[in-house]
Amino acid sequence: MANAFWCVVEDDRAGRPKKVNAEALGEAARLAAQTGGQVEAVWLTDRAEADGLGQLAEWGAEKVWLVEAPALAPYRGEVWTPVLAELAGTEQPKAIFGAVTSRLRELMARLAARLGVGLSADSVAFDFRDGGLIATRPVYAGKLLSKVTWAAGPWLATLRPNVFKPRDPRTGKAPVVERPPVTVPQPTMTFVERREEVSTGLPELTEAEIVVSGGRGLKGPENFVVLEELAKVIGAAVGASRAAVDAGWRPHRFQIGQTGRTISPKLYMGFGISGAIQHLAGMRTSKVIVAVNKDPEAPIFKIADYGIVGDLFEVAPLLTREFKRLLEK
Ligand SMILES: Cc1cc2nc3c(=O)[nH]c(=O)nc-3n(C[C@H](O)[C@H](O)[C@H](O)COP(=O)(O)OP(=O)(O)OC[C@H]3O[C@@H](n4cnc5c(N)ncnc54)[C@H](O)[C@@H]3O)c2cc1C
């Protein structure tokens, strides 16, 4: 449908869409309502579970374009891009959105280049002006917000997680699934090995509503347990500064900042993190920021809503104990 707002699905690699899709679909629904358009999901996968399809319908997808083929797993940009470009060429959607995730960030950039259109990366707001879409996105490591628009359609954008509101669930809605006849190329890269990280049992960093993050002030990898204990009690994900990652205390996928993940949780708590601009670039849009640092002059206090000047090795266990009591755990 030429007036459609598409959302490219980010899935859990086991047949189900991730929660970030609800936000992209919610925002697409809000925009589509203003243009009389329709919200559609595009899912490229090696397998889609029926309840995963149902979930997309519940989150607002009126139709799911499903391309299911073994060559689509694991993700390879050179396989996914032509499939999506071909489908976009045939169906001519008005907009194509995707959440800011490792693979969609890459895929959407490739797609923009393939279609010869602009991409608003890491968008935090959308509005219409004179019938055109205006996207707001952070620039200069989040110090400024810029408004951009597209010289030509479709409007491609990635959406920062935890910023956009999902719509009210459309419970019991059956998905309309269409399997388009597109060509899925054979991968040119051979898949050698997949190493699965052992799950921490904590929420995924970019999806978590609460993030507890540690920096060089933790002094060593063994001390992250102090933050993990707190995180378990309040249902938080644990992130890290680049200093902690570069020291080998946490894997890179936990790094928050300009060269790591961008997060926007309801609550961010930084322990032993100075607040360098490159770190702030990845977390400054968090709704409430709490900083714990023994240096009262630490720059992070400038953007913190609540600051605790103190030793994290005393403060973190105190907070854990108090939250446990309050939450009766
Ligand atoms: C191109 C580029 C990209 C970068 N990308 C990123 C990025 O993506 N993410 C990122 O984080 N950084 C990034 N950096 C690095 C960034 O500039 C900082 O060096 C880094 O963020 C510092 O990490 P930190 O705050 O943990 O360490 P530090 O700056 O060393 O701060 C440690 C803090 O811990 C406090 N502290 C020490 N002991 C305690 C204690 N017991 N209790 C409480 N507080 C204590 C200290 O007072 C200090 O403020 C980048 C840098 C460059 C040049």
Side-chain angles (χ1 to χ4, degrees):
M1 184 184 181
N3 204 12
F5 282 74
W6 279 8
C7 295
V8 183
V9 173
E10 172 72 21
D11 67 27
D12 63 358
R13 296 165 172 81
R16 284 179 193 85
K18 287 189 170 186
K19 200 190 90 193
V20 279
N21 300 288
E23 296 163 20
L25 288 163
E27 181 61 7
R30 191 184 71 81
L31 298 171
Q34 294 175 57
T35 59
Q38 139 150 348
V39 178
E40 299 175 353
V42 185
W43 195 358
L44 275 55
T45 180
D46 62 332
R47 67 177 161 129
E49 298 291 338
D51 57 346
L53 289 162
Q55 184 71 84
L56 291 171
E58 199 167 295
W59 285 335
E62 285 152 76
K63 180 195 269 190
V64 182
W65 296 96
L66 179 61
V67 185
E68 216 174 358
L72 292 168
Y75 166 77
R76 274 160 292 203
E78 88 269 17
V79 181
W80 283 40
T81 311
V83 173
L84 205 46
E86 186 187 328
L87 193 57
T90 321
E91 298 302 325
Q92 302 282 313
K94 202 164 193 69
I96 309 179
F97 290 171
V100 177
T101 62
S102 304
R103 56 182 177 177
L104 292 192
R105 193 191 278 218
E106 193 215 61
L107 175 70
M108 295 295 284
R110 281 175 176 258
L111 183 65
R114 181 68 68 106
L115 299 179
V117 297
L119 168 72
S120 170
D122 205 17
S123 316
V124 293
F126 294 100
D127 255 311
F128 285 109
R129 196 182 296 160
D130 303 327
L133 189 66
I134 310 282
T136 306
R137 57 180 301 268
V139 289
Y140 298 117
K143 284 220 140 181
L144 289 177
L145 291 174
S146 74
K147 287 188 186 285
V148 295
T149 191
W150 289 259
W155 304 321
L156 261 60
T158 54
L159 282 64
R160 182 177 283 206
N162 282 323
V163 170
F164 297 97
K165 252 180 77 171
R167 53 164 294 158
D168 295 334
R170 310 182 315 153
T171 30
K173 219 36 182 151
V176 176
V177 180
E178 188 154 341
R179 294 173 184 265
V182 283
T183 315
V184 179
Q186 277 313 302
T188 49
M189 276 194 281
T190 313
F191 182 58
V192 183
E193 185 189 4
R194 180 184 180 88
R195 284 191 202 168
E196 289 269 355
E197 294 278 350
V198 184
S199 168
T200 56
L202 298 173
E204 215 271 313
L205 188 57
T206 51
E207 296 203 340
E209 294 194 340
I210 308 176
V211 172
V212 170
S213 179
R216 206 193 314 262
L218 272 137
K219 305 206 170 21
E222 65 286 359
N223 294 330
F224 265 88
V225 70
V226 177
L227 301 190
E228 279 159 5
E229 278 167 5
L230 173 60
K232 264 183 223 146
V233 174
I234 57 177
V238 177
S241 72
R242 177 159 164 183
V245 169
D246 282 354
W249 301 349
R250 303 295 279 179
H252 180 261
R253 69 191 167 98
F254 294 112
Q255 183 181 316
I256 296 164
Q258 190 180 319
T259 43
R261 302 291 191 96
T262 303
I263 57 165
S264 216
K266 286 188 180 151
L267 173 63
Y268 166 95
M269 301 173 88
F271 292 82
I273 291 181
S274 59
I277 182 166
Q278 297 90 353
H279 186 78
L280 304 188
M283 46 60 73
R284 71 184 321 146
T285 51
S286 306
K287 313 282 175 305
V288 176
I289 297 171
V290 177
V292 180
N293 198 303
K294 64 179 185 185
D295 174 9
E297 302 299 323
I300 196 155
F301 287 131
K302 289 204 180 88
I303 64 149
D305 299 285
Y306 300 94
I308 301 174
V309 179
D311 186 334
L312 73 91
F313 295 105
E314 287 168 19
V315 178
L318 274 177
L319 288 172
T320 307
R321 208 177 317 145
E322 197 57 18
F323 277 125
K324 240 187 209 165
R325 193 182 63 77
L326 287 169
L327 301 167
E328 291 172 355
K329 287 200 176 176

